[in-house]
Amino acid sequence: MFWVQFFSRHASVQKILAISCVTRRTSKSVKHGRSVCLRSIFFNSVKYYPTKLVLGIETSCDDTAAAVVDDTGKILGEALHSQNEVHLKTGGIIPPVAQQLHRENIERIVKETLYVSGISLDELSAVATTVKPGLALSLGVGLEYSLKLVDKYKKPFIPIHHMEAHALTIRLINQVEFPFLVLLISGGHCILVVAQGVSDFLLLGQSIDIAPGDMLDKVARRLSLTKHPECCRMSGGKAIEHLAQQGNRLHYELRAPMRHHRNCNFSFSGLCFNATRIIMQKEKEEGLQEGHLLSCVTDIAAAVQHAVALHIVQRTHRAILFCIKSGILSQTNATLVVSGGVASNQYIRRALQIVTDATNFNLLCPPPRLCTDNGVMIAWNGIERMRAGLGVLHSTDGIRYEPKASLGIDISEQVGEVAIKVPSLEVSLNELATINL
């Protein structure tokens, strides 16, 4: 009677039994050469069935995403609604528009995720949601929806730092032990940190103005790349990367900024200004008004992309050397993890590979779909925090979203005081620029 009640109450066991009944009739045990019994299949299945299931919800910017991940790292289900096409038409993300689209799609995305995963809300161990940093109006939608869920189903709530989730995504697919160096490059952030543990980071440097993804988007808009037949449905960064493959970056000189500042901070606003200056000059030469496509868009795209890559590479190279010199990381077992939306850019990845090869570091990047904002990384960060016993809330009183939030302990001034001179890799990077990616 106990087993009948147990089977009837647990949907997961019913699924195991359904599979077991078929396997019992058709499978053979390779080891013993006989049919596999129902009892052994059932107990083996129970043994490996996950003990923790986390629903992750992400609405920090313009993607509404959700996923269910178990404590073995298996992605049981995920769904995502992109607002990209809407924002391409408006020339950028308009926060109230993003907010409304999140409101219209979040319930559907969560239901799709649960349906695909085969998991009910009652079976979840916790709900993890991005609460910082990001667009205030977007964060608010995800938090409000999540708090209603955890209140209704009496589930623990795990507030997630968006950049921490990006940093730890690599541990979902690779056995990466702490500590390791992380470069987070996206539309809203450019950060170098050392991940010493879950929720334990040392901040080496960050952008003092705009992020590389934002800069690439601005240049793409100034070039009117949405009017280019090959790029009309691409984001700005993707359009720049695509056209750069056809261009010659040597036709325009865009020097990497902050060459005389021996720290690990970044700056992209000057690059954006200089690229705009070149575009305006070419428009004047070709007799074109703003909004028309230049004949040299591929060359400008190549020059811009190379300058961004060179700047990122130089600062990352210094971070690697600082970590080795200070003893934060070991030369023999050192890893650089690169994540965030801009990490999907293959040219920048190749440039970073040159640096890691030169310094005997191991370069790891999540697959492109996990570099951009997604629900999987939020759910996985929830699993990591549950394991570490960090930030799992059983009461959500006073929980708020934070549009701006730093990551880790800031030691960037110490990095600047050491003032490490970075060896030139210009020759190798110049060779990279001639490769057809």
Side-chain angles (χ1 to χ4, degrees):
M1 178 60 68
F2 168 80
W3 288 110
V4 172
Q5 293 175 342
F6 181 83
F7 293 158
S8 63
R9 291 177 183 174
H10 291 75
S12 57
V13 177
Q14 292 173 355
K15 294 174 189 175
I16 293 169
L17 283 177
I19 297 170
S20 300
C21 289
V22 176
T23 309
R24 184 187 185 195
R25 293 192 297 268
T26 60
S27 296
K28 298 291 181 179
S29 170
V30 175
K31 184 176 180 181
H32 301 291
R34 62 177 183 269
S35 297
V36 180
C37 71
L38 175 62
R39 184 175 63 180
S40 66
I41 291 174
F42 169 71
F43 282 106
N44 285 338
S45 300
V46 169
K47 179 180 179 181
Y48 294 107
Y49 194 77
T51 56
K52 303 295 182 184
L53 294 165
V54 173
L55 168 66
I57 297 176
E58 156 64 16
T59 64
S60 67
C61 190
D62 61 334
D63 286 333
T64 311
V68 174
V69 175
D70 68 30
D71 60 358
T72 69
K74 184 178 180 181
I75 303 168
L76 302 180
E78 59 178 317
L80 181 145
H81 177 266
S82 174
Q83 302 177 9
N84 185 55
E85 289 191 15
V86 174
H87 298 305
L88 277 176
K89 294 176 182 177
T90 58
I93 298 172
I94 301 174
V97 174
Q99 178 190 46
Q100 183 58 34
L101 291 172
H102 281 307
R103 283 176 173 164
E104 292 173 1
N105 291 283
I106 189 168
E107 184 169 12
R108 175 180 62 82
I109 289 300
V110 170
K111 285 183 176 179
E112 282 184 18
T113 298
L114 294 170
Y115 176 79
V116 172
S117 67
I119 299 298
S120 69
L121 283 162
D122 288 323
E123 292 175 288
L124 293 174
S125 304
V127 174
T129 302
T130 305
V131 300
K132 60 183 178 183
L135 298 177
L137 296 180
S138 295
L139 289 170
V141 175
L143 180 58
E144 180 183 11
Y145 182 84
S146 299
L147 293 183
K148 288 180 180 178
L149 278 186
V150 298
D151 181 61
K152 181 177 180 179
Y153 292 92
K154 308 304 178 186
K155 298 295 178 181
F157 180 66
I158 309 175
I160 299 295
H161 191 302
H162 183 77
M163 303 315 294
E164 178 182 313
H166 271 306
L168 300 185
T169 300
I170 195 66
R171 285 165 50 87
L172 172 70
I173 54 177
N174 291 83
Q175 291 184 343
V176 184
E177 298 298 327
F178 296 114
F180 54 89
L181 181 62
V182 184
L183 170 65
L184 301 173
I185 42 178
S186 67
H189 301 276
C190 191
I191 302 173
L192 276 165
V193 293
V194 176
Q196 299 188 119
V198 178
S199 193
D200 183 7
F201 296 88
L202 296 176
L203 176 64
L204 305 183
Q206 60 188 326
S207 177
I208 61 174
D209 40 57
I210 63 175
D214 186 23
M215 180 256 180
L216 292 172
D217 287 344
K218 281 181 166 64
V219 173
R221 284 197 297 271
R222 189 60 184 80
L223 286 168
S224 302
L225 295 188
T226 54
K227 296 181 180 179
H228 195 288
E230 297 176 16
C231 306
C232 58
R233 297 175 68 87
M234 294 181 183
S235 66
K238 286 292 184 184
I240 293 289
E241 181 181 8
H242 175 74
L243 293 178
Q245 297 180 53
Q246 308 164 35
N248 184 346
R249 66 106 182 160
L250 297 175
H251 286 175
Y252 301 97
E253 184 178 3
L254 279 169
R255 294 176 62 84
M258 301 182 71
R259 285 173 175 264
H260 303 296
H261 297 265
R262 293 185 179 179
N263 55 37
C264 288
N265 289 328
F266 302 84
S267 173
F268 295 94
S269 61
L271 272 177
C272 191
F273 175 82
N274 289 333
T276 302
R277 179 178 51 80
I278 290 173
I279 294 167
M280 291 174 66
Q281 178 62 33
K282 294 307 296 182
E283 286 173 343
K284 184 177 180 180
E285 291 176 9
E286 296 187 13
L288 296 175
Q289 296 292 323
E290 181 179 341
H292 291 79
L293 285 172
L294 290 168
S295 62
C296 54
V297 287
T298 57
D299 294 337
I300 294 176
V304 167
Q305 179 176 251
H306 183 77
V308 170
L310 182 59
H311 184 40
I312 289 173
V313 160
Q314 288 173 340
R315 317 315 275 186
T316 304
H317 195 176
R318 179 172 288 110
I320 289 173
L321 297 178
F322 172 80
C323 288
I324 294 172
K325 184 173 182 177
S326 62
I328 295 175
L329 295 177
S330 168
Q331 178 80 63
T332 58
N333 186 25
T335 297
L336 169 65
V337 171
V338 184
S339 190
V342 179
S344 299
N345 184 296
Q346 294 302 306
Y347 187 89
I348 293 175
R349 283 199 188 192
R350 295 277 189 93
L352 289 165
Q353 186 71 65
I354 291 172
V355 173
T356 52
D357 287 346
T359 52
N360 295 316
F361 262 55
N362 183 30
L363 176 64
L364 293 176
C365 303
R369 75 179 188 87
L370 294 182
C371 282
T372 53
D373 294 349
N374 60 87
V376 172
M377 70 179 193
I378 306 304
W380 173 248
N381 197 185
I383 291 289
E384 290 261 45
R385 282 181 162 269
M386 288 191 79
R387 287 175 174 172
L390 296 170
V392 181
L393 306 180
H394 295 276
S395 172
T396 57
D397 292 344
I399 190 71
R400 298 288 185 271
Y401 58 81
E402 300 175 46
K404 294 183 180 180
S406 59
L407 180 63
I409 299 171
D410 189 347
I411 62 168
S412 58
E413 286 191 10
Q414 297 175 35
V415 177
E417 290 170 0
V418 177
I420 295 173
K421 183 178 180 180
V422 176
S424 176
L425 295 174
E426 191 74 36
V427 174
S428 297
L429 290 170
N430 285 341
E431 291 175 357
L432 171 68
T434 66
I435 298 173
N436 182 8
L437 297 177

